[in-house]
């Protein structure tokens, strides 16, 4: 069941399930809370989970701007207004970057963070051309269609996409996505004010679990040099590597849940 919080006269959607201390789940760009469908049940036995749809994603309203700093302020407001107590935050990709910035903004309200394949430096390294190559197809679909069925048909007509895991969720998410999220990501305006080195150093004492895929399979979302920078600057960090692509929670679900639950217990 979807619940909503008002932020700047717009609605942010979230689902709540489970028992125990609160944890917030933050999805990646173009996704939504449905990305956690295979993950949340086991974790909800030990934690109260809040699965949030970022602004412009899922069942949340479309906003005028999609800076990563604004995503972070939304989550900070959510913790203050809805949760009201210190939380753990689990984030994938964009969600991991946001989780880190929320911890930097409000250390007293964040017990720990779990970062799944965070693209802290990817935009800087790949440049506009590299980011555009990664997201242009999704931008075209989200800009051209607002029907899950239309996008799903396009996927199924393409042999390389027809057997993709969770293809219906992907189609649904793209049909609801505000395409300006991708436009701002590609042109770099979304990252204005987001300083990964400063954030990492500011959260150096926050208990952290860093989950990373095989960089050859993730498209170099995060590379060894960047992982080394994180591990060298964070004092309470656990690192786990997976031989898979960028969506670890979907590709290695059981190993992923085990790592998360062990960290939280």
């Amino acid at each position: 069941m979807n619940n909503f919080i008002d932020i700047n006269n717009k609605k942010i959607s979230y689902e709540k399930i489970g028992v125990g201390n609160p944890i917030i789940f933050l999805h990646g760009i173009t996704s939504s809370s449905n990305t956690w469908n295979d993950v949340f049940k086991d974790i909800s036995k030990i934690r109260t989970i809040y699965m949030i749809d970022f602004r412009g994603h899922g069942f949340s309203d479309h906003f005028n701007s999609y800076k990563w700093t604004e995503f972070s302020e939304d989550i900070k407001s959510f913790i203050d207004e809805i949760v009201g107590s210190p939380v753990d935050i689990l984030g994938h990709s964009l969600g991991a970057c946001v989780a880190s910035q929320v911890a930097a903004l409000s250390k007293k309200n964040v017990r720990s963070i779990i970062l799944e394949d965070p693209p802290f430096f990817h935009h800087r390294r790949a440049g506009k051309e590299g980011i555009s190559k990664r997201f242009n197809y999704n931008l075209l679909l989200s800009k051209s269609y607002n029907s899950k069925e239309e996008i799903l048909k396009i996927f199924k007509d393409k042999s390389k996409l027809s057997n993709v895991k969770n293809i219906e969720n992907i189609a649904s998410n793209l049909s609801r996505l505000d395409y300006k999220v991708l436009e701002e990501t590609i042109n770099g305006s979304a990252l204005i004010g987001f300083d990964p080195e400063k954030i990492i150093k500011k959260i150096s004492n926050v208990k952290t679990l860093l989950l990373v895929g095989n960089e050859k399979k993730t498209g170099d979302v995060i590379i060894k040099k960047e992982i080394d920078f994180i591990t060298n600057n964070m004092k309470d960090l656990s690192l786990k590597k997976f031989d898979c692509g960028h969506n670890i929670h979907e590709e290695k679900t059981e190993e992923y849940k085990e790592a998360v639950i062990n960290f939280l217990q």
Side-chain angles (χ1 to χ4, degrees), residues 195-210:
D195 186 337
E197 288 95 349
K198 184 176 179 181
I199 290 169
I200 289 166
K201 290 177 180 179
K202 194 167 183 179
I203 62 172
S204 61
N205 291 317
V206 177
K207 183 181 178 184
T208 302
L209 174 62
L210 177 61

Side-chain angles (χ1 to χ4, degrees), residues 78-93:
F78 183 89
I79 294 171
D80 292 340
E81 295 179 31
I82 301 298
V83 185
S85 62
V87 300
D88 304 293
I89 308 178
L90 181 157
H92 171 236
S93 196

Side-chain angles (χ1 to χ4, degrees), residues 53-67:
D53 288 342
F54 282 132
R55 56 168 66 193
H57 295 73
F59 289 96
S60 290
D61 283 345
H62 293 185
F63 282 58
N64 293 325
S65 177
Y66 295 103
K67 292 183 178 66

Side-chain angles (χ1 to χ4, degrees), residues 220-235:
D220 295 333
V221 168
I222 182 170
I223 61 176
K224 184 180 183 303
K225 180 174 72 172
E226 295 158 2
I227 295 169
D228 289 343
F229 175 80
I230 296 169
T231 56
N232 289 337
N233 281 278
M234 299 194 70
K235 300 172 183 177

